[in-house]
């Protein structure tokens, strides 16, 4: 579809099966959530810290795979230039403190993350997000892969995000809403540990509770429980929660405000109970997560459909310090966690994607 008669600015976004171009307007999705149900196609990016933004797009094309796009040259940062917000010792110390929080009864599970960063010049607009997005789609295909490139304006810094997320935060199809939290990670061919299963059970229950606030009573189900999914370079444990929207939230002006405020940030990347986990994350982490562990996706009010991913396996670029590319990685900490093993999990999750995004590996 193409919108006529509207003032259109630059901007583009690509998701699996749909591409959009031309920004018509931008809104704060939490403050103006009613707009998301009124009409139009919206690109959505939510920062873990709480701000969720949406851009209504002018031109939308369906049916295109990101892997079929024409290759574009990407030159990433020097592989040796990546730095971490938490060193191995700092991360492991954080794991031990969180285990003490669990022992004290303050929390059951906390997702502890670190942010990797590398200098990458890109001018005011940033490097070519579509080029990195295409390479990730080729080298690390992911069901919810995305690239979003919104140029800065006089009153907004813009948005630059490229993701290879395998995790569904929220999908909506008519009155049906789903979420598929991922908790539990292992190397290819390795079995999940009891700790992984316990972690997934806790977060699945949290997601059931979050979604129930907008659901028809009795409609919340778990059609997939502790499913093992093999992905490039690792395997995950995934469950799926499904519900029917209550009539007063079925694409009404209340729908998106209630759905987002009740479920964001996603439980799988915060912890349980969520409020306590967020306090501990603020205590332990030294770098803002931004769109990493937030939400990335689209809402099509005309079709009454939406697909938002959890922003894991995600790069984002900002203009600070001459240009910086960032990537987040983390692990879920429970009483059964081993600090060295949790650090190794963060390394496993980052290794393949950092290699793809670094200099010398990305030019076709």
């Amino acid at each position: 579809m193409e919108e006529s008669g509207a003032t259109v600015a630059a901007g583009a976004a690509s998701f699996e099966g749909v591409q959009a171009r031309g920004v018509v307007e931008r809104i704060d999705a939490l403050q103006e959530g009613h707009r998301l149900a009124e009409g139009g196609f919206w690109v959505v990016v939510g920062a873990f810290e709480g701000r969720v933004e949406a851009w209504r797009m002018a031109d939308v094309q369906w049916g295109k795979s990101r892997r079929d796009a024409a290759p574009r040259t990407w030159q990433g940062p020097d592989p040796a230039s990546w730095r971490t917000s938490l060193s191995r010792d700092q991360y492991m110390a954080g794991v031990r403190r969180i285990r003490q929080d669990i022992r004290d009864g303050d929390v059951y599970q906390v997702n502890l993350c670190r942010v990797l960063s590398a200098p990458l010049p890109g001018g005011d607009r940033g490097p070519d997000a579509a080029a990195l997005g295409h390479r990730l789609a080729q080298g690390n295909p992911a069901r919810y892969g995305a690239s979003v490139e919104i140029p800065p304006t006089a009153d907004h810094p813009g948005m630059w995000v490229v993701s290879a997320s395998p995790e569904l935060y929220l999908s909506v199809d008519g009155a049906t809403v789903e979420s598929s939290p991922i908790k539990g990670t292992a190397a290819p061919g390795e079995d999940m540990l009891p700790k992984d299963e316990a972690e997934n059970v806790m977060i699945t229950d949290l997601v059931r509770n979050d979604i129930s606030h907008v659901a028809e009573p009795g409609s919340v189900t778990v059609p997939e429980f502790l499913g093992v999914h093999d992905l490039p370079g690792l395997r995950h444990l995934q469950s799926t929660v499904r519900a029917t929207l209550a009539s007063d939230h079925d694409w009404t002006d209340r729908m998106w405000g209630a759905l987002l405020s009740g479920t964001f940030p996603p439980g799988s990347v915060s912890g349980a109970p969520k409020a306590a986990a967020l306090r501990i994350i603020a205590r332990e982490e030294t770098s803002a997560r931004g769109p990493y562990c937030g939400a990335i996706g689209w809402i099509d009010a005309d079709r009454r459909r939406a697909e938002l991913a959890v922003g894991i396996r995600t790069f984002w670029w900002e203009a600070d310090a001459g240009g910086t590319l960032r990537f987040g990685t983390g692990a879920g900490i429970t009483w059964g966690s081993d600090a060295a093993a949790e650090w190794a999990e963060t390394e496993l999750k980052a290794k393949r994607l950092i290699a793809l995004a670094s200099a010398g590996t990305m030019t076709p």
Side-chain angles (χ1 to χ4, degrees):
M1 64 182 181
E2 186 169 356
E3 189 165 321
S4 60
T7 301
V8 177
S14 175
F15 308 95
E16 188 58 38
V18 59
Q19 299 178 6
R21 304 187 65 86
V23 173
V24 178
E25 61 177 321
R26 174 181 60 88
I27 65 170
D28 181 323
L30 293 179
Q31 297 298 318
E32 303 176 83
H34 63 281
R35 297 289 315 284
L36 299 174
E38 290 177 352
F41 183 95
W42 299 84
V43 170
V44 179
V45 178
F48 178 80
E49 289 72 27
R51 183 171 180 81
V52 182
E53 298 181 278
W55 294 264
R56 185 162 61 91
M57 309 299 282
D59 179 40
V60 182
Q61 296 183 344
W62 294 89
K64 291 189 175 182
S65 171
R66 298 173 70 247
R67 299 182 68 181
D68 295 334
R72 295 157 70 160
T73 299
W74 164 269
Q75 188 65 31
D78 187 321
S81 68
W82 289 94
R83 298 293 181 265
T84 177
S85 61
L86 294 173
S87 68
R88 184 177 188 272
D89 287 346
Q90 290 172 325
Y91 190 90
M92 291 173 62
V95 173
R96 289 189 287 269
R97 284 190 293 270
I98 291 170
R99 291 186 73 248
Q100 184 63 51
D101 294 323
I102 296 170
R103 181 177 181 178
D104 292 343
D106 298 331
V107 73
Y108 302 115
Q109 192 261 14
V110 177
N111 203 61
L112 182 62
C113 297
R114 58 193 178 98
V115 174
L116 308 179
S117 60
L120 184 65
D124 293 334
R125 296 173 63 106
D128 188 345
L132 177 56
H134 180 262
R135 177 50 83 186
L136 296 189
Q138 294 288 332
N140 196 97
R143 171 62 185 86
Y144 305 106
S147 62
V148 178
E149 194 169 6
I150 309 293
T153 63
D155 60 352
H156 189 268
M159 184 63 64
W160 196 106
V161 178
V162 177
S163 180
S165 175
E167 183 174 1
L168 176 66
Y169 164 43
L170 290 172
S171 74
V172 182
D173 188 351
T176 301
V177 59
E178 288 190 355
S179 182
S180 296
I182 286 175
K183 295 309 299 180
T185 300
E190 292 187 359
D191 293 332
M192 296 292 168
L193 301 174
K195 173 257 181 187
D196 296 310
E197 295 185 356
E199 190 179 358
N200 192 290
V201 170
M202 283 187 281
I203 298 305
T204 300
D205 190 55
L206 184 150
V207 172
R208 287 174 64 248
N209 180 71
D210 284 354
I211 288 180
S212 69
H213 296 296
V214 298
E216 189 72 27
S219 72
V220 180
T221 62
V222 182
E224 177 189 29
F225 188 53
L226 302 179
V228 177
H229 292 248
D230 290 308
L231 304 170
L234 46 74
R235 57 184 2 194
H236 279 314
L237 207 57
Q238 174 180 296
S239 297
T240 296
V241 177
R242 180 182 298 156
T244 301
L245 291 169
S247 58
D248 57 347
H249 290 99
D250 186 2
W251 291 94
T252 65
D253 59 0
R254 300 177 56 187
M255 172 186 176
W256 283 104
L259 193 52
L260 291 171
S261 64
T263 61
F264 192 80
S268 64
V269 288
S270 52
K274 188 181 289 187
L278 290 173
R279 288 195 297 270
I280 294 170
I281 288 168
R283 182 192 75 194
E284 295 293 337
E285 296 185 11
T286 61
S287 182
R289 297 188 189 182
Y292 168 61
C293 292
I296 305 165
W298 53 268
I299 296 170
D300 189 336
D302 299 326
R303 296 186 178 209
R304 290 166 52 93
R305 292 179 56 203
E307 190 171 88
L308 305 177
V310 179
I312 59 173
R313 315 295 186 269
T314 294
F315 294 90
W316 71 105
W317 183 90
E318 295 173 309
D320 61 303
T324 303
L325 186 65
R326 292 183 168 88
F327 179 87
T329 185
I333 313 305
T334 68
W335 175 247
S337 290
D338 173 80
E342 300 297 356
W343 170 266
E345 182 174 319
T346 72
E347 293 276 85
L348 175 65
K349 290 173 176 175
K351 181 179 179 180
R352 184 184 184 94
L353 288 161
I354 290 294
L356 283 170
S358 295
T361 65
M362 296 287 292
T363 302

